[in-house]
Amino acid sequence: MSITKTIVNVGIADTKIVRSPNTIRTLGLGSCIGTVLYDERRGIAGLSHILLPDSSQARAGSISEMKYADTAIPQLLEMLQEQGARNMKAKMAGGAQMFQVGKGTSFMRIGDKNIEAVQDALRKLNIKVVSSDVGGNLGRTIEFDPVTSKLSIRKRNQNVFTI
Amino acid sequence: MMDVFQLTSFQKDILKEIGNIGAGNAATSLSQLLGHKIDMLVPNVEIADFNEVIELVGGPEQPIVGLMFQVEGEITGVMAIVVDIEEAEYLVQKLTHNPEFRLSEETDGIELEIAMSALSEIGNILTGSYLTALSDFTGMNLQPSVPHLGIDMAGAIMTMGLLEISQVTDYAIIIDTEIRQEERGHEQIRGNFLFIPDPESFQKLFAKLGWS
């Protein structure tokens, strides 16, 4: 007898939760960050895909909380706690610098800022980052398996590896 | 928030006309550059969330070559030229007269540098043509930034072009125009021009063209 596994897809500026044996993934991360919070014992995990570091920089009245590191990470924690998750740990990937930044451009070093913002948000919530694969200049597809607590990462023209 | 993004069919037509005029001129430049006829399809005007934008160019994991420009001047926004890896190879082959050229993980230092600079130059020419035509049409001054070239998954590249508007909104209005070169042989080019004006540019555009 086999158990059917579902892969839950998380889009840009989105956050979702999964229970084992299902897995959760997000595709084509560039300067964005995928952050996984997981409760190893209970087999619950959540994944957030943020685009920008700081919601206070938003120039519009209504903000979408899942778009920003500083609002999405606490929101993700809350969602997981509501599902009974406790003692959470984190893994994260993304924050690449996709373009060589030339002079006079506002394609800012957003990857680095995103990495810092996610790390900050996790620190404030006392969540330990167990492992991460951040920076560089390649896009990433990531998938987390709550059974093994492994985050698998695929980059263009490279073999899949896990952290 | 959403009502900003209700376009009347008149406004949609104006934006389509922008695609027609801009990409038409760019297609002419490309055809002169390559010595082939280039066809242009009818532009699409899409109101899309970020995930939908990425679906327009084949989905988040689709390998693409993306050339991105900031548009500066009286209208601001982002211009993206997106082609598949094979099409980028074909363009480099034509421009460098090297029919053997391949764009893969083995493409090394100097060869990759030449390819990147050839592609950037094509991008400069095409974006220049697009914006010149648009400047003439609107009477507004528009300038492209230097090119930013990325070869990677579409999700990773395209989000770079959305960063600026993502600080204001969760939706983009995209003027998407596809160009094609159909030939009897196997050689073929397909590329997309995606013009993503900043939200505040639309009112200026509609006002200037007298249809606001």
Side-chain angles (χ1 to χ4, degrees), chain A residues 10-57:
Chain A
V10 179
I12 298 168
D14 194 8
T15 300
K16 281 180 184 153
I17 283 180
V18 75
R19 282 173 189 274
S20 61
N22 300 329
T23 60
I24 191 162
R25 73 174 177 191
T26 194
L27 311 176
L29 285 168
S31 58
C32 296
I33 308 241
T35 309
V36 178
L37 299 189
Y38 61 101
D39 177 339
E40 219 159 358
R41 207 160 65 81
R42 293 176 182 80
I44 310 175
L47 172 60
S48 116
H49 179 146
I50 60 104
L51 186 66
L52 293 165
D54 185 0
S55 60
S56 68
Q57 302 290 311

mmCIF file of all heavy atoms in Angstrom, chain A residues 10-57:
data_model
loop_
_atom_site.group_PDB
_atom_site.id
_atom_site.type_symbol
_atom_site.label_atom_id
_atom_site.label_comp_id
_atom_site.label_asym_id
_atom_site.label_seq_id
_atom_site.Cartn_x
_atom_site.Cartn_y
_atom_site.Cartn_z
ATOM 1 N N VAL A 10 4.075 26.949 -3.351
ATOM 2 C CA VAL A 10 3.953 28.292 -2.788
ATOM 3 C C VAL A 10 4.406 29.299 -3.848
ATOM 4 O O VAL A 10 5.501 29.190 -4.378
ATOM 5 C CB VAL A 10 4.821 28.425 -1.517
ATOM 6 C CG1 VAL A 10 4.710 29.825 -0.936
ATOM 7 C CG2 VAL A 10 4.398 27.381 -0.486
ATOM 8 N N GLY A 11 3.546 30.247 -4.162
ATOM 9 C CA GLY A 11 3.880 31.262 -5.167
ATOM 10 C C GLY A 11 4.625 32.436 -4.555
ATOM 11 O O GLY A 11 5.000 32.414 -3.369
ATOM 12 N N ILE A 12 4.824 33.460 -5.360
ATOM 13 C CA ILE A 12 5.505 34.672 -4.892
ATOM 14 C C ILE A 12 4.603 35.414 -3.914
ATOM 15 O O ILE A 12 3.404 35.532 -4.133
ATOM 16 C CB ILE A 12 5.818 35.595 -6.084
ATOM 17 C CG1 ILE A 12 6.768 34.892 -7.045
ATOM 18 C CG2 ILE A 12 6.407 36.921 -5.620
ATOM 19 C CD1 ILE A 12 6.898 35.605 -8.356
ATOM 20 N N ALA A 13 5.193 35.917 -2.853
ATOM 21 C CA ALA A 13 4.450 36.673 -1.843
ATOM 22 C C ALA A 13 3.320 35.827 -1.267
ATOM 23 O O ALA A 13 2.204 36.275 -1.097
ATOM 24 C CB ALA A 13 3.911 37.978 -2.427
ATOM 25 N N ASP A 14 3.646 34.572 -0.992
ATOM 26 C CA ASP A 14 2.653 33.624 -0.512
ATOM 27 C C ASP A 14 3.259 32.821 0.644
ATOM 28 O O ASP A 14 4.484 32.761 0.798
ATOM 29 C CB ASP A 14 2.277 32.698 -1.681
ATOM 30 C CG ASP A 14 1.008 31.892 -1.401
ATOM 31 O OD1 ASP A 14 0.343 32.148 -0.381
ATOM 32 O OD2 ASP A 14 0.701 31.004 -2.219
ATOM 33 N N THR A 15 2.382 32.225 1.453
ATOM 34 C CA THR A 15 2.817 31.411 2.583
ATOM 35 C C THR A 15 1.852 30.246 2.726
ATOM 36 O O THR A 15 0.652 30.455 2.680
ATOM 37 C CB THR A 15 2.786 32.243 3.884
ATOM 38 O OG1 THR A 15 3.652 33.352 3.724
ATOM 39 C CG2 THR A 15 3.261 31.436 5.072
ATOM 40 N N LYS A 16 2.389 29.039 2.872
ATOM 41 C CA LYS A 16 1.513 27.884 3.060
ATOM 42 C C LYS A 16 2.096 26.919 4.084
ATOM 43 O O LYS A 16 3.276 26.997 4.430
ATOM 44 C CB LYS A 16 1.291 27.156 1.730
ATOM 45 C CG LYS A 16 0.275 27.853 0.843
ATOM 46 C CD LYS A 16 0.075 27.108 -0.446
ATOM 47 C CE LYS A 16 -0.887 27.888 -1.349
ATOM 48 N NZ LYS A 16 -0.652 27.597 -2.753
ATOM 49 N N ILE A 17 1.229 26.002 4.521
ATOM 50 C CA ILE A 17 1.615 25.042 5.547
ATOM 51 C C ILE A 17 1.383 23.628 5.034
ATOM 52 O O ILE A 17 0.482 23.397 4.225
ATOM 53 C CB ILE A 17 0.809 25.319 6.828
ATOM 54 C CG1 ILE A 17 1.408 26.536 7.531
ATOM 55 C CG2 ILE A 17 0.767 24.130 7.754
ATOM 56 C CD1 ILE A 17 0.713 26.909 8.796
ATOM 57 N N VAL A 18 2.189 22.681 5.522
ATOM 58 C CA VAL A 18 2.067 21.303 5.063
ATOM 59 C C VAL A 18 2.323 20.355 6.241
ATOM 60 O O VAL A 18 3.023 20.702 7.188
ATOM 61 C CB VAL A 18 3.058 21.059 3.895
ATOM 62 C CG1 VAL A 18 4.486 20.927 4.399
ATOM 63 C CG2 VAL A 18 2.667 19.859 3.070
ATOM 64 N N ARG A 19 1.709 19.160 6.176
ATOM 65 C CA ARG A 19 1.979 18.117 7.165
ATOM 66 C C ARG A 19 2.560 16.906 6.454
ATOM 67 O O ARG A 19 2.168 16.609 5.329
ATOM 68 C CB ARG A 19 0.674 17.689 7.853
ATOM 69 C CG ARG A 19 0.192 18.656 8.901
ATOM 70 C CD ARG A 19 -1.191 18.261 9.404
ATOM 71 N NE ARG A 19 -1.734 19.312 10.240
ATOM 72 C CZ ARG A 19 -1.487 19.426 11.554
ATOM 73 N NH1 ARG A 19 -0.730 18.534 12.177
ATOM 74 N NH2 ARG A 19 -2.013 20.419 12.242
ATOM 75 N N SER A 20 3.445 16.187 7.134
ATOM 76 C CA SER A 20 4.019 14.984 6.534
ATOM 77 C C SER A 20 2.874 13.989 6.273
ATOM 78 O O SER A 20 1.915 13.970 7.050
ATOM 79 C CB SER A 20 5.081 14.368 7.460
ATOM 80 O OG SER A 20 4.481 13.998 8.680
ATOM 81 N N PRO A 21 2.929 13.177 5.206
ATOM 82 C CA PRO A 21 4.091 12.985 4.327
ATOM 83 C C PRO A 21 4.148 13.965 3.153
ATOM 84 O O PRO A 21 4.958 13.766 2.258
ATOM 85 C CB PRO A 21 3.867 11.566 3.814
ATOM 86 C CG PRO A 21 2.372 11.465 3.682
ATOM 87 C CD PRO A 21 1.805 12.295 4.812
ATOM 88 N N ASN A 22 3.295 14.971 3.152
ATOM 89 C CA ASN A 22 3.322 15.905 2.026
ATOM 90 C C ASN A 22 4.553 16.798 2.102
ATOM 91 O O ASN A 22 5.113 17.006 3.176
ATOM 92 C CB ASN A 22 2.054 16.751 2.019
ATOM 93 C CG ASN A 22 0.813 15.892 1.881
ATOM 94 O OD1 ASN A 22 0.864 14.834 1.252
ATOM 95 N ND2 ASN A 22 -0.278 16.313 2.493
ATOM 96 N N THR A 23 4.930 17.321 0.944
ATOM 97 C CA THR A 23 6.087 18.200 0.908
ATOM 98 C C THR A 23 5.639 19.572 0.397
ATOM 99 O O THR A 23 4.536 19.712 -0.134
ATOM 100 C CB THR A 23 7.197 17.641 0.005
ATOM 101 O OG1 THR A 23 6.690 17.507 -1.327
ATOM 102 C CG2 THR A 23 7.687 16.297 0.503
ATOM 103 N N ILE A 24 6.512 20.545 0.557
ATOM 104 C CA ILE A 24 6.153 21.914 0.173
ATOM 105 C C ILE A 24 7.318 22.528 -0.597
ATOM 106 O O ILE A 24 8.489 22.279 -0.267
ATOM 107 C CB ILE A 24 5.769 22.729 1.433
ATOM 108 C CG1 ILE A 24 5.134 24.068 1.059
ATOM 109 C CG2 ILE A 24 6.949 22.920 2.385
ATOM 110 C CD1 ILE A 24 4.361 24.712 2.210
ATOM 111 N N ARG A 25 6.984 23.282 -1.644
ATOM 112 C CA ARG A 25 8.079 23.816 -2.464
ATOM 113 C C ARG A 25 7.739 25.196 -3.030
ATOM 114 O O ARG A 25 6.584 25.603 -3.066
ATOM 115 C CB ARG A 25 8.399 22.861 -3.606
ATOM 116 C CG ARG A 25 7.344 22.880 -4.685
ATOM 117 C CD ARG A 25 7.744 22.042 -5.880
ATOM 118 N NE ARG A 25 6.646 22.059 -6.841
ATOM 119 C CZ ARG A 25 6.578 21.265 -7.898
ATOM 120 N NH1 ARG A 25 7.519 20.376 -8.133
ATOM 121 N NH2 ARG A 25 5.559 21.354 -8.735
ATOM 122 N N THR A 26 8.778 25.868 -3.490
ATOM 123 C CA THR A 26 8.592 27.099 -4.256
ATOM 124 C C THR A 26 9.610 27.113 -5.392
ATOM 125 O O THR A 26 10.731 26.612 -5.240
ATOM 126 C CB THR A 26 8.649 28.355 -3.350
ATOM 127 O OG1 THR A 26 8.153 29.477 -4.082
ATOM 128 C CG2 THR A 26 10.046 28.662 -2.857
ATOM 129 N N LEU A 27 9.207 27.661 -6.535
ATOM 130 C CA LEU A 27 9.995 27.535 -7.765
ATOM 131 C C LEU A 27 10.625 28.853 -8.183
ATOM 132 O O LEU A 27 10.021 29.911 -8.049
ATOM 133 C CB LEU A 27 9.101 27.055 -8.917
ATOM 134 C CG LEU A 27 8.202 25.846 -8.658
ATOM 135 C CD1 LEU A 27 7.324 25.575 -9.874
ATOM 136 C CD2 LEU A 27 9.037 24.618 -8.326
ATOM 137 N N GLY A 28 11.841 28.762 -8.706
ATOM 138 C CA GLY A 28 12.457 29.923 -9.350
ATOM 139 C C GLY A 28 12.706 31.114 -8.439
ATOM 140 O O GLY A 28 12.443 32.245 -8.801
ATOM 141 N N LEU A 29 13.251 30.853 -7.252
ATOM 142 C CA LEU A 29 13.637 31.955 -6.363
ATOM 143 C C LEU A 29 14.853 32.666 -6.950
ATOM 144 O O LEU A 29 15.837 32.017 -7.314
ATOM 145 C CB LEU A 29 14.072 31.415 -4.996
ATOM 146 C CG LEU A 29 13.055 30.906 -3.985
ATOM 147 C CD1 LEU A 29 13.800 30.172 -2.873
ATOM 148 C CD2 LEU A 29 12.241 32.048 -3.413
ATOM 149 N N GLY A 30 14.791 33.979 -7.033
ATOM 150 C CA GLY A 30 15.980 34.740 -7.418
ATOM 151 C C GLY A 30 16.468 35.503 -6.212
ATOM 152 O O GLY A 30 17.081 34.945 -5.302
ATOM 153 N N SER A 31 16.178 36.805 -6.185
ATOM 154 C CA SER A 31 16.534 37.609 -5.018
ATOM 155 C C SER A 31 15.552 37.376 -3.869
ATOM 156 O O SER A 31 15.800 37.771 -2.735
ATOM 157 C CB SER A 31 16.559 39.088 -5.392
ATOM 158 O OG SER A 31 15.305 39.478 -5.895
ATOM 159 N N CYS A 32 14.442 36.727 -4.175
ATOM 160 C CA CYS A 32 13.451 36.374 -3.145
ATOM 161 C C CYS A 32 14.027 35.329 -2.194
ATOM 162 O O CYS A 32 15.023 34.684 -2.503
ATOM 163 C CB CYS A 32 12.206 35.783 -3.785
ATOM 164 S SG CYS A 32 11.309 36.907 -4.848
ATOM 165 N N ILE A 33 13.369 35.170 -1.038
ATOM 166 C CA ILE A 33 13.821 34.153 -0.089
ATOM 167 C C ILE A 33 12.688 33.193 0.243
ATOM 168 O O ILE A 33 11.550 33.612 0.466
ATOM 169 C CB ILE A 33 14.286 34.803 1.238
ATOM 170 C CG1 ILE A 33 15.286 35.899 0.932
ATOM 171 C CG2 ILE A 33 14.824 33.734 2.199
ATOM 172 C CD1 ILE A 33 16.641 35.738 1.493
ATOM 173 N N GLY A 34 13.038 31.916 0.254
ATOM 174 C CA GLY A 34 12.134 30.894 0.760
ATOM 175 C C GLY A 34 12.568 30.549 2.175
ATOM 176 O O GLY A 34 13.702 30.135 2.388
ATOM 177 N N THR A 35 11.663 30.737 3.126
ATOM 178 C CA THR A 35 11.981 30.413 4.518
ATOM 179 C C THR A 35 11.059 29.293 4.986
ATOM 180 O O THR A 35 9.837 29.401 4.855
ATOM 181 C CB THR A 35 11.769 31.633 5.432
ATOM 182 O OG1 THR A 35 12.452 32.756 4.875
ATOM 183 C CG2 THR A 35 12.280 31.355 6.841
ATOM 184 N N VAL A 36 11.659 28.233 5.520
ATOM 185 C CA VAL A 36 10.875 27.127 6.046
ATOM 186 C C VAL A 36 10.952 27.162 7.566
ATOM 187 O O VAL A 36 12.043 27.236 8.135
ATOM 188 C CB VAL A 36 11.423 25.761 5.558
ATOM 189 C CG1 VAL A 36 10.614 24.616 6.160
ATOM 190 C CG2 VAL A 36 11.401 25.692 4.043
ATOM 191 N N LEU A 37 9.809 27.141 8.225
ATOM 192 C CA LEU A 37 9.766 26.905 9.675
ATOM 193 C C LEU A 37 9.161 25.520 9.867
ATOM 194 O O LEU A 37 8.174 25.187 9.215
ATOM 195 C CB LEU A 37 8.899 27.948 10.387
ATOM 196 C CG LEU A 37 9.307 29.414 10.304
ATOM 197 C CD1 LEU A 37 8.447 30.252 11.245
ATOM 198 C CD2 LEU A 37 10.777 29.601 10.635
ATOM 199 N N TYR A 38 9.761 24.726 10.748
ATOM 200 C CA TYR A 38 9.231 23.371 10.898
ATOM 201 C C TYR A 38 9.320 22.873 12.324
ATOM 202 O O TYR A 38 10.214 23.240 13.081
ATOM 203 C CB TYR A 38 9.960 22.415 9.944
ATOM 204 C CG TYR A 38 11.457 22.299 10.189
ATOM 205 C CD1 TYR A 38 11.978 21.204 10.887
ATOM 206 C CD2 TYR A 38 12.336 23.273 9.719
ATOM 207 C CE1 TYR A 38 13.339 21.085 11.105
ATOM 208 C CE2 TYR A 38 13.700 23.165 9.937
ATOM 209 C CZ TYR A 38 14.199 22.066 10.626
ATOM 210 O OH TYR A 38 15.530 21.963 10.853
ATOM 211 N N ASP A 39 8.351 22.047 12.668
ATOM 212 C CA ASP A 39 8.319 21.349 13.946
ATOM 213 C C ASP A 39 8.614 19.887 13.632
ATOM 214 O O ASP A 39 7.757 19.171 13.106
ATOM 215 C CB ASP A 39 6.928 21.525 14.584
ATOM 216 C CG ASP A 39 6.789 20.745 15.899
ATOM 217 O OD1 ASP A 39 7.567 19.778 16.115
ATOM 218 O OD2 ASP A 39 5.898 21.099 16.678
ATOM 219 N N GLU A 40 9.844 19.485 13.957
ATOM 220 C CA GLU A 40 10.333 18.168 13.576
ATOM 221 C C GLU A 40 9.464 17.055 14.163
ATOM 222 O O GLU A 40 9.122 16.094 13.482
ATOM 223 C CB GLU A 40 11.777 18.021 14.105
ATOM 224 C CG GLU A 40 12.686 17.323 13.161
ATOM 225 C CD GLU A 40 14.155 17.632 13.460
ATOM 226 O OE1 GLU A 40 14.443 18.426 14.388
ATOM 227 O OE2 GLU A 40 14.993 17.067 12.758
ATOM 228 N N ARG A 41 9.106 17.211 15.432
ATOM 229 C CA ARG A 41 8.403 16.149 16.156
ATOM 230 C C ARG A 41 6.981 15.953 15.612
ATOM 231 O O ARG A 41 6.512 14.842 15.450
ATOM 232 C CB ARG A 41 8.361 16.498 17.646
ATOM 233 C CG ARG A 41 8.282 15.288 18.555
ATOM 234 C CD ARG A 41 8.718 15.622 19.965
ATOM 235 N NE ARG A 41 7.835 16.578 20.632
ATOM 236 C CZ ARG A 41 6.681 16.241 21.217
ATOM 237 N NH1 ARG A 41 6.273 14.997 21.201
ATOM 238 N NH2 ARG A 41 5.946 17.159 21.811
ATOM 239 N N ARG A 42 6.338 17.058 15.300
ATOM 240 C CA ARG A 42 4.943 16.969 14.860
ATOM 241 C C ARG A 42 4.800 16.861 13.342
ATOM 242 O O ARG A 42 3.693 16.678 12.832
ATOM 243 C CB ARG A 42 4.147 18.166 15.374
ATOM 244 C CG ARG A 42 4.009 18.147 16.895
ATOM 245 C CD ARG A 42 3.295 19.393 17.403
ATOM 246 N NE ARG A 42 3.214 19.403 18.853
ATOM 247 C CZ ARG A 42 4.207 19.767 19.670
ATOM 248 N NH1 ARG A 42 5.371 20.142 19.175
ATOM 249 N NH2 ARG A 42 4.042 19.750 20.976
ATOM 250 N N GLY A 43 5.907 16.998 12.628
ATOM 251 C CA GLY A 43 5.846 16.857 11.163
ATOM 252 C C GLY A 43 5.027 17.938 10.484
ATOM 253 O O GLY A 43 4.341 17.694 9.488
ATOM 254 N N ILE A 44 5.095 19.141 11.022
ATOM 255 C CA ILE A 44 4.410 20.276 10.380
ATOM 256 C C ILE A 44 5.474 21.267 9.900
ATOM 257 O O ILE A 44 6.447 21.517 10.611
ATOM 258 C CB ILE A 44 3.491 21.029 11.368
ATOM 259 C CG1 ILE A 44 2.580 20.058 12.116
ATOM 260 C CG2 ILE A 44 2.644 22.072 10.635
ATOM 261 C CD1 ILE A 44 1.735 20.739 13.183
ATOM 262 N N ALA A 45 5.251 21.801 8.723
ATOM 263 C CA ALA A 45 6.187 22.806 8.215
ATOM 264 C C ALA A 45 5.430 23.872 7.438
ATOM 265 O O ALA A 45 4.349 23.624 6.897
ATOM 266 C CB ALA A 45 7.226 22.148 7.309
ATOM 267 N N GLY A 46 6.010 25.057 7.397
ATOM 268 C CA GLY A 46 5.422 26.145 6.608
ATOM 269 C C GLY A 46 6.509 26.795 5.780
ATOM 270 O O GLY A 46 7.681 26.805 6.161
ATOM 271 N N LEU A 47 6.111 27.310 4.621
ATOM 272 C CA LEU A 47 7.080 27.952 3.727
ATOM 273 C C LEU A 47 6.567 29.326 3.320
ATOM 274 O O LEU A 47 5.418 29.475 2.898
ATOM 275 C CB LEU A 47 7.295 27.075 2.485
ATOM 276 C CG LEU A 47 8.129 27.630 1.324
ATOM 277 C CD1 LEU A 47 9.549 27.964 1.753
ATOM 278 C CD2 LEU A 47 8.174 26.627 0.187
ATOM 279 N N SER A 48 7.429 30.323 3.463
ATOM 280 C CA SER A 48 7.074 31.663 3.002
ATOM 281 C C SER A 48 8.021 32.075 1.880
ATOM 282 O O SER A 48 9.211 31.770 1.913
ATOM 283 C CB SER A 48 7.149 32.655 4.177
ATOM 284 O OG SER A 48 8.146 33.631 3.962
ATOM 285 N N HIS A 49 7.469 32.739 0.872
ATOM 286 C CA HIS A 49 8.257 33.220 -0.272
ATOM 287 C C HIS A 49 8.139 34.744 -0.281
ATOM 288 O O HIS A 49 7.130 35.288 -0.690
ATOM 289 C CB HIS A 49 7.682 32.607 -1.550
ATOM 290 C CG HIS A 49 8.386 33.025 -2.820
ATOM 291 N ND1 HIS A 49 8.523 32.179 -3.898
ATOM 292 C CD2 HIS A 49 8.981 34.179 -3.200
ATOM 293 C CE1 HIS A 49 9.164 32.806 -4.880
ATOM 294 N NE2 HIS A 49 9.449 34.030 -4.484
ATOM 295 N N ILE A 50 9.171 35.412 0.249
ATOM 296 C CA ILE A 50 9.099 36.876 0.322
ATOM 297 C C ILE A 50 9.861 37.516 -0.839
ATOM 298 O O ILE A 50 10.809 36.949 -1.377
ATOM 299 C CB ILE A 50 9.609 37.439 1.673
ATOM 300 C CG1 ILE A 50 11.080 37.065 1.915
ATOM 301 C CG2 ILE A 50 8.724 36.977 2.821
ATOM 302 C CD1 ILE A 50 12.047 38.171 1.695
ATOM 303 N N LEU A 51 9.414 38.724 -1.159
ATOM 304 C CA LEU A 51 9.944 39.449 -2.311
ATOM 305 C C LEU A 51 10.797 40.634 -1.868
ATOM 306 O O LEU A 51 11.771 40.989 -2.504
ATOM 307 C CB LEU A 51 8.743 39.944 -3.124
ATOM 308 C CG LEU A 51 8.904 40.625 -4.458
ATOM 309 C CD1 LEU A 51 9.468 39.645 -5.465
ATOM 310 C CD2 LEU A 51 7.547 41.128 -4.958
ATOM 311 N N LEU A 52 10.397 41.243 -0.747
ATOM 312 C CA LEU A 52 11.021 42.486 -0.291
ATOM 313 C C LEU A 52 11.322 42.404 1.201
ATOM 314 O O LEU A 52 10.673 41.654 1.931
ATOM 315 C CB LEU A 52 10.071 43.661 -0.551
ATOM 316 C CG LEU A 52 9.796 44.017 -2.022
ATOM 317 C CD1 LEU A 52 8.594 44.937 -2.134
ATOM 318 C CD2 LEU A 52 11.018 44.660 -2.659
ATOM 319 N N PRO A 53 12.305 43.204 1.664
ATOM 320 C CA PRO A 53 12.710 43.092 3.068
ATOM 321 C C PRO A 53 11.757 43.741 4.077
ATOM 322 O O PRO A 53 11.498 43.164 5.129
ATOM 323 C CB PRO A 53 14.075 43.797 3.107
ATOM 324 C CG PRO A 53 14.137 44.643 1.885
ATOM 325 C CD PRO A 53 13.218 44.045 0.874
ATOM 326 N N ASP A 54 11.223 44.923 3.738
ATOM 327 C CA ASP A 54 10.732 45.775 4.817
ATOM 328 C C ASP A 54 9.386 46.408 4.457
ATOM 329 O O ASP A 54 9.311 47.220 3.541
ATOM 330 C CB ASP A 54 11.802 46.871 5.027
ATOM 331 C CG ASP A 54 11.482 47.756 6.204
ATOM 332 O OD1 ASP A 54 10.442 47.533 6.856
ATOM 333 O OD2 ASP A 54 12.275 48.679 6.466
ATOM 334 N N SER A 55 8.352 46.071 5.216
ATOM 335 C CA SER A 55 7.018 46.578 4.880
ATOM 336 C C SER A 55 6.881 48.075 5.142
ATOM 337 O O SER A 55 6.000 48.725 4.597
ATOM 338 C CB SER A 55 5.950 45.825 5.659
ATOM 339 O OG SER A 55 6.158 45.992 7.040
ATOM 340 N N SER A 56 7.774 48.639 5.970
ATOM 341 C CA SER A 56 7.661 50.072 6.247
ATOM 342 C C SER A 56 8.090 50.901 5.036
ATOM 343 O O SER A 56 7.842 52.093 4.962
ATOM 344 C CB SER A 56 8.486 50.451 7.478
ATOM 345 O OG SER A 56 9.858 50.306 7.193
ATOM 346 N N GLN A 57 8.746 50.252 4.056
ATOM 347 C CA GLN A 57 9.131 50.939 2.826
ATOM 348 C C GLN A 57 7.996 50.968 1.806
ATOM 349 O O GLN A 57 8.133 51.565 0.747
ATOM 350 C CB GLN A 57 10.325 50.221 2.172
ATOM 351 C CG GLN A 57 11.544 50.107 3.042
ATOM 352 C CD GLN A 57 12.233 51.432 3.264
ATOM 353 O OE1 GLN A 57 12.490 52.152 2.323
ATOM 354 N NE2 GLN A 57 12.494 51.774 4.521
#
